[in-house]
Amino acid sequence: DGGITQSPKYLFRKEGQNVTLSCEQNLNHDAMYWYRQDPGQGLRLIYYSQIVNDFQKGDIAEGYSVSREKKESFPLTVTSAQKNPTAFYLCASSSTRPDNEQFFGPGTRLTVL
Amino acid sequence: QKEVEQNSGPLSVPEGAIASLNCTYSDRGSQSFFWYRQYSGKSPELIMSIYSNGDKEDGRFTAQLNKASQYVSLLIRDSQPSDSATYLCAVKPPGSARQLTFGSGTQLTVLP
């Protein structure tokens, strides 16, 4: 089955720790995205990548880092510099078609202890 | 001013009624518009996309786009309790490569 997987589903972080969220897709999509969703809020773009070995900051990139070494994978690291990381993190991907339909993975819920 | 605005709701409709969800956007020239459904605790699921003025129908869902007035709407006919969810409007602004701007969502409850 084609799709997007994210792991872990739940993640707990202590103050001062870096944590890495995994995102993998087998849809052969070139573009991948990371969003953050806070309760009652829409989605805010953290980082996006249109091609391997290239990525751009979104609206709220501070305190986050990414890599894109493989087409299928786009991991997100939440660093200790992110002061309020508790949120629902969503990974998405899209093809290079102009209509840019984005499809989402199941998400990772991160809680800071 | 928010770039994509939606009434947060909650919007309640009785089972079998038509639910009408609205979205306005600020960037004139936006070309692509999407509706996502998000159940509580789950990720968004794409249910409709629309690119041209007018109506687009898919089963019980109809998306309506009016670029001159900068609004896009979603109608759900014969609403079912399983339609109860938050509906997110997303817009691809002009000049963006592939990024979307999302509204904060409208919470819909369909009452049995």
Side-chain angles (χ1 to χ4, degrees), chain B residues 2-110:
Chain B
K2 287 187 177 179
E3 296 177 9
V4 178
E5 293 211 41
Q6 299 180 249
N7 290 330
S8 60
L11 172 66
S12 295
V13 299
E15 184 174 356
I18 296 175
S20 177
L21 306 164
N22 299 313
C23 172
T24 58
Y25 60 94
S26 60
D27 281 317
R28 192 175 293 276
S30 296
Q31 295 296 322
S32 306
F33 307 87
F34 307 91
W35 283 100
Y36 288 84
R37 177 176 63 198
Q38 186 175 25
Y39 292 114
S40 181
K42 303 296 185 182
S43 63
E45 173 193 8
L46 179 67
I47 55 171
M48 290 289 285
S49 55
I50 187 166
Y51 312 101
S52 303
N53 278 330
D55 295 358
K56 179 181 178 183
E57 187 175 317
D58 183 0
R60 296 187 295 112
F61 298 100
T62 298
Q64 299 175 317
L65 176 60
N66 184 321
K67 290 184 179 180
S69 299
Q70 295 177 239
Y71 83 79
V72 56
S73 62
L74 179 71
L75 300 178
I76 306 174
R77 291 182 301 281
D78 188 25
S79 295
Q80 301 297 309
S82 58
D83 295 325
S84 298
T86 296
Y87 289 80
L88 300 170
C89 172
V91 176
K92 182 175 177 295
S96 72
R98 292 191 180 86
Q99 306 91 285
L100 300 180
T101 300
F102 285 81
S104 56
T106 297
Q107 184 181 343
L108 171 67
T109 300
V110 180

